[in-house]
Amino acid sequence: MTTTNASTDEALSLQKGAAAEVDFDVIGIGAGFAGLALIHYVRELGLSVRIFDRASDIGGTWTWNRYPGAATDSESYYYCLAFSKELLQEWSWTKRYPGWEETHRYFHFIADKCQMRPHIQLDTEIVEARYLDGQGRWQITTRSGETYTCKYFVSGMGMISEPMIPKIEGMDSFRGPLFHSSRWPQEGLDYAGKRIGIIGAGATTVQMLPVVAETAGSVTVFQRTPNYVLPAMQKPMTPEWEKEIKADYDAVIAKCRNHVFGMAFDSPVGRNAVDTPHEERQRIFEENWTGSFRWVFETFDDLLTSPEANRMASEFIVAKMKERVDDPEIAKLLSPSFDDYPLFAKRPPLDHGYFEAFNRDNVRLVDIKDREPLVEITETGIRTTREHYEFDIIVLATGFKAYTGALEAFPIRGSSGKTLAETWKTVSESIMGVCVANFPNMFIVTGPQAPFANLPTSIEQNVIWISRCIAKMEREGFDVFKPRLEAQREWTAHTADIHGQTLMAEGGKVHSWMMGANRQDKPPRVLIYFGGANNYYDRLDQSADQGFPELEFEKLSG
Ligand code: NAP
């Protein structure tokens, strides 16, 4: 198989260090994109690897998020791993945005083709990970009490995976099914004809509502903050389109690698909205209204940096949204305003008929921000300050504890004995989102202070860096790497500095998960590197080329 593995050359002449007596060289948690990428790159180094996942299937986010309508928001043909040119050619997507079923089939295709299954242990929840100081190894404990040791411990648990369950009075009293959107029951939930209440109006609800409304008796959406919603404009992958992509897949992958959001977009475009006359600007906005986040990047280069340009874009989007809703009152409630928050201070959802769903007789929107805040969940429904709504099913589409949630959900103890949760109480610091000071021999795939981008691109770039680091360790006979505190301080300051200059910093005002401002248990913080995913990937490559100056390497005696 032809691979594009940056570490292939480094697979030669690996030595075992003094701390090599372990169950596996590498243990990873999470059998999604990160887990599969890790298996590929670590195996190329000739090392042993085991991936644990508490789910019963591979697929990561696509195993958990199976609510009706769940689909990718990245376009299919670059929402994939790029390590094998053959696999890129062999797999065929059927649509611009595949549903979870199709993405899930893709995971099985990769795992089967690459014979990855022997490296994956499903139905196994990890309840503790502990660094054994002085031994250069990690010990991992499963829910059933088994322990495994490894030299390198890697989190591939995902940056949007740990549900955010809000504290709402009476939550336990509801008699019907009540669950988080990422825990949609796979069997036995027939919602046809039922009255459904959905709390939350983010990307998940935007995908879910049009599908659920088709067969539910009624659907009521409880919305706190309206979103700037961009159109998805789904379309089939035609043979001609597929041929065009596959004629030069390298170019697609290179585009992702060199794009600020890791997407195969044609940007920068070399023009700014603020310098473009009104009519010309509207024409460009209109002509590019063809679906996906492309619109934000392929119209003008200043939409996310200039408040004036952002206002222009925000107003254009809102006008488009309003056109599709029959009732002007509902349209108004669904519309954000630049004066409340700018475009991208919250991650904009992509829609597949969200607004038209509100034109149905069986769909209702409840404004819980100003008109009637939530009071409690009762045995039979949801009470606001004005009304009691009766439901058969309640869905909490309330989002996730992004970037750090999965890493704080069970104790991961570093060399000081402190857990990551304790370490990140007020600031979630890291080195490029991949390593954390006082957590030797541990890597995180897309951890806090990594960029927010097309995830398979970021994940693979992280795993390449990780595998190059492991290759160096093994080739040079090191037992331990220690992330340097100065490097962590430098990255944290750099990330905060950039964050402060972007419009995304306004997310704190509107509970944006991109700043952890949606959590009730922690203050908002800088969680994302917004200096451009492409620049971040360059920085990873530079670091590896220079021998990982952010890390201190050690040999243990004996
Ligand atoms: P989200 O965007 O964080 O939205 C959560 C919703 O729940 C918001 O409307 C929020 O209101 C509301 N909410 C939270 N706590 C609440 C409370 N205590 N009371 C009332 N309302 C509350 O979550 P999400 O929709 O699950 O999406 C999260 C992210 O997952 C997305 O931005 C995206 O990155 C990813 N995602 C991706 C895809 C895809 O690519 N296909 C699909 C779905 C999700 P406020 O806005 O007022 O806080």
Side-chain angles (χ1 to χ4, degrees), residues 82-307:
F83 63 74
S84 160
K85 289 174 197 270
E86 285 167 24
L87 294 185
L88 286 171
Q89 290 295 329
E90 201 176 328
W91 177 257
S92 288
W93 296 103
T94 68
K95 296 184 185 75
R96 186 179 189 183
Y97 310 96
W100 69 261
E101 302 91 333
E102 186 171 346
T103 308
H104 212 251
R105 281 198 296 281
Y106 167 76
F107 274 93
H108 283 259
F109 164 77
I110 296 288
D112 291 337
K113 277 276 167 183
C114 300
Q115 293 164 356
M116 291 178 169
R117 301 219 183 240
H119 302 283
I120 302 172
Q121 185 171 329
L122 297 170
D123 295 306
T124 308
E125 185 178 357
I126 303 303
V127 294
E128 189 187 46
R130 174 188 288 273
Y131 180 67
L132 304 177
D133 212 9
Q135 299 181 45
R137 67 175 69 179
W138 281 80
Q139 180 177 287
I140 277 56
T141 307
T142 70
R143 165 84 49 211
S144 56
E146 288 149 351
T147 58
Y148 298 90
T149 54
C150 61
K151 181 167 175 185
Y152 307 101
F153 169 56
V154 187
S155 164
M157 293 189 281
M159 35 70 75
I160 313 180
S161 51
E162 186 67 20
M164 205 291 289
I165 311 286
K167 291 188 188 99
I168 302 174
E169 199 66 36
M171 188 96 92
D172 297 334
S173 60
F174 185 63
R175 285 205 223 110
L178 178 153
F179 48 84
H180 187 267
S181 52
S182 68
R183 300 294 183 268
W184 190 283
Q186 290 315 295
E187 279 154 28
L189 183 80
D190 178 9
Y191 63 84
K194 301 273 168 58
R195 298 162 302 174
I196 304 178
I198 302 178
I199 299 179
T204 295
T205 298
V206 169
Q207 289 189 338
M208 184 193 300
L209 176 68
V211 181
V212 170
E214 273 174 28
T215 49
S218 68
V219 189
T220 306
V221 175
F222 293 85
Q223 172 193 275
R224 194 165 58 183
T225 312
N227 278 291
Y228 295 102
V229 181
L230 293 162
M233 299 203 190
Q234 177 70 290
K235 58 181 181 183
M237 174 68 70
T238 60
E240 299 73 37
W241 190 19
E242 182 174 354
K243 204 168 153 199
E244 191 188 316
I245 292 162
K246 290 187 173 175
D248 196 359
Y249 228 133
D250 285 350
V252 173
I253 300 304
K255 266 189 195 175
C256 292
R257 166 62 180 77
N258 296 313
H259 187 262
V260 286
F261 271 75
M263 306 269 186
F265 292 171
D266 294 308
S267 66
V269 286
R271 62 179 172 233
N272 286 333
V274 293
D275 303 326
T276 307
H278 176 76
E279 275 186 18
E280 173 72 353
R281 191 170 58 237
Q282 294 303 104
R283 185 187 63 75
I284 292 169
F285 276 157
E286 194 65 57
E287 277 178 13
N288 284 281
W289 196 250
T290 52
S292 116
F293 302 116
R294 281 178 185 280
W295 187 85
V296 178
F297 298 96
E298 294 185 351
T299 49
F300 299 100
D301 296 334
D302 57 347
L303 301 189
L304 302 186
T305 48
S306 151

Side-chain angles (χ1 to χ4, degrees), residues 253-539:
I253 300 304
K255 266 189 195 175
C256 292
R257 166 62 180 77
N258 296 313
H259 187 262
V260 286
F261 271 75
M263 306 269 186
F265 292 171
D266 294 308
S267 66
V269 286
R271 62 179 172 233
N272 286 333
V274 293
D275 303 326
T276 307
H278 176 76
E279 275 186 18
E280 173 72 353
R281 191 170 58 237
Q282 294 303 104
R283 185 187 63 75
I284 292 169
F285 276 157
E286 194 65 57
E287 277 178 13
N288 284 281
W289 196 250
T290 52
S292 116
F293 302 116
R294 281 178 185 280
W295 187 85
V296 178
F297 298 96
E298 294 185 351
T299 49
F300 299 100
D301 296 334
D302 57 347
L303 301 189
L304 302 186
T305 48
S306 151
E308 198 184 337
N310 193 292
R311 179 187 287 276
M312 292 163 180
S314 303
E315 286 172 357
F316 184 90
I317 296 171
V318 169
K320 284 283 188 194
M321 286 165 46
K322 282 182 166 166
E323 278 172 12
R324 292 164 54 198
V325 184
D326 295 344
D327 181 336
E329 278 308 304
I330 302 287
K332 201 170 151 201
L333 279 182
L334 288 169
S335 302
S337 138
F338 179 83
D339 294 325
D340 293 330
Y341 73 98
L343 169 67
F344 247 94
K346 284 170 97 68
R347 191 277 215 181
L350 288 196
D351 106 89
H352 299 256
Y354 183 62
F355 297 106
E356 287 75 9
F358 287 101
N359 298 333
R360 301 175 65 110
D361 292 339
N362 68 338
V363 174
R364 185 167 179 181
L365 181 68
V366 177
D367 170 21
I368 54 170
K369 180 167 173 262
D370 296 322
R371 188 176 183 276
E372 45 181 315
L374 282 187
V375 174
E376 60 172 346
I377 292 178
T378 66
E379 286 187 3
T380 56
I382 295 175
R383 190 187 314 283
T384 67
T385 50
R386 286 196 178 205
E387 223 175 294
H388 183 263
Y389 298 84
E390 299 270 330
F391 296 119
D392 303 305
I393 297 167
I394 295 178
V395 184
L396 302 173
T398 45
F400 298 87
K401 296 178 178 177
Y403 281 90
T404 61
L407 293 151
E408 295 164 336
F410 64 91
I412 298 177
R413 291 182 199 285
S415 50
S416 67
K418 254 182 156 182
T419 64
L420 275 175
E422 287 159 354
T423 307
W424 286 341
K425 260 198 176 118
T426 50
V427 192
S428 302
E429 294 180 309
S430 78
I431 299 174
M432 299 186 288
V434 214
C435 288
V436 181
N438 295 320
F439 289 79
N441 290 15
M442 182 190 85
F443 300 103
I444 304 171
V445 181
T446 63
Q449 301 182 339
F452 178 51
N454 181 40
L455 276 164
T457 308
S458 275
I459 287 169
E460 200 156 357
Q461 292 299 318
N462 272 185
V463 175
I464 288 170
W465 186 87
I466 291 168
S467 67
R468 290 186 70 183
C469 179
I470 293 176
K472 175 190 166 74
M473 289 274 294
E474 297 300 308
R475 194 177 48 238
E476 298 177 21
F478 289 112
D479 300 303
V480 179
F481 74 78
K482 292 181 175 166
R484 293 180 194 273
L485 192 57
E486 319 84 76
Q488 181 164 291
R489 289 199 179 123
E490 185 269 323
W491 184 254
T492 299
H494 176 54
T495 304
D497 183 36
I498 289 173
H499 189 266
Q501 295 170 38
T502 68
L503 292 166
M504 284 74 152
E506 309 237 350
K509 295 197 294 200
V510 277
H511 326 112
S512 172
W513 63 256
M514 296 199 291
M515 291 182 62
N518 61 333
R519 293 179 64 161
Q520 293 166 325
D521 58 341
K522 270 171 179 272
R525 65 202 53 215
V526 174
L527 281 178
I528 299 181
Y529 174 76
F530 279 122
N534 50 342
N535 297 325
Y536 168 82
Y537 306 147
D538 286 348
R539 178 99 183 220

